[in-house]
Amino acid sequence: MTLFGHLLRLAAPSALLLLLAALPAALPVRAGEAEIAFLQGYVGNWRGSGTVTGGAEPEAFTCRMQLTQGNQGKVNYAGRCSLVGLNLSVAGTIAYFDAKARYEAAMTSNAGFSGLAIGRAGGGGVVFDLRERNVDEEGRDMTITSQVSLRGETVTVAFDVVFNETGERLRATVPFQR
């Protein structure tokens, strides 16, 4: 498998964690009308493509996701990215919690990753940031930073992965459109 294939198994779930989220259904959500309307504005089918740079050669990939209206103002999603014979699928929920006065996005993936990101509202949108340190299947230590932006008619996912021992870096940005 290519270096990118190994990276995708760790980095893509982290990047998509910020966008494609899964909160337990038992948690109550009471969002204000503006926050509910904002989230529901992203309900629909989305497609995107990008190129990962930093490996031996740039590698193109494509993604699609479906966002649907969930319970209590939540937005549920299901997404999939395909590249180099590898499919990554993620599922989850994005929600606004009045009690915490914040957006939260959480997810699960077929790559064994799950997590939570907090959203920052501003500039007419919401941005979710994630930074974590992981060790891949081959024991390589890496730092993954990801950002997902919900703004206007676009959802954008960007990620940067640094292999801490060598300094090698892989980057990609995927703008999604309806």
Side-chain angles (χ1 to χ4, degrees):
M1 176 170 289
T2 66
L3 174 63
F4 179 68
H6 292 293
L7 168 70
L8 179 67
R9 289 186 180 181
L10 291 172
S14 297
L16 291 175
L17 155 72
L18 304 173
L19 171 66
L20 309 174
L23 293 174
L27 294 178
V29 175
R30 287 188 17 219
E33 288 183 31
E35 289 85 0
I36 291 172
F38 174 79
L39 290 176
Q40 290 179 351
Y42 288 90
V43 168
N45 295 310
W46 297 78
R47 293 188 182 278
S49 61
T51 302
V52 172
T53 60
E57 293 185 23
E59 294 187 47
F61 61 97
T62 59
C63 301
R64 62 188 165 117
M65 69 178 148
Q66 181 180 30
L67 281 80
T68 58
Q69 185 173 338
N71 295 326
Q72 299 175 313
K74 298 176 186 177
V75 172
N76 301 323
Y77 74 84
R80 177 178 299 255
C81 290
S82 300
L83 60 120
V84 193
L86 178 64
N87 287 313
L88 169 70
S89 60
V90 294
T93 303
I94 300 172
Y96 181 82
F97 290 87
D98 273 344
K100 297 177 183 179
R102 69 184 189 192
Y103 290 92
E104 294 183 4
M107 60 85 60
T108 59
S109 76
N110 66 339
F113 182 84
S114 63
L116 175 72
I118 307 306
R120 291 183 333 269
V126 175
V127 175
F128 296 90
D129 289 308
L130 175 71
R131 180 178 171 90
E132 63 182 46
R133 197 162 179 168
N134 271 330
V135 177
D136 71 6
E137 294 171 341
E138 296 174 9
R140 294 179 294 188
D141 181 39
M142 60 181 62
T143 300
I144 302 167
T145 56
S146 303
Q147 185 177 78
V148 175
S149 173
L150 306 175
R151 185 163 282 127
E153 290 296 315
T154 304
V155 173
T156 304
V157 177
F159 68 90
D160 182 45
V161 177
V162 176
F163 292 90
N164 297 322
E165 187 174 306
T166 65
E168 286 182 86
R169 173 175 247 136
L170 297 172
R171 295 179 178 173
T173 299
V174 183
F176 285 85
Q177 302 289 323
R178 290 182 208 254

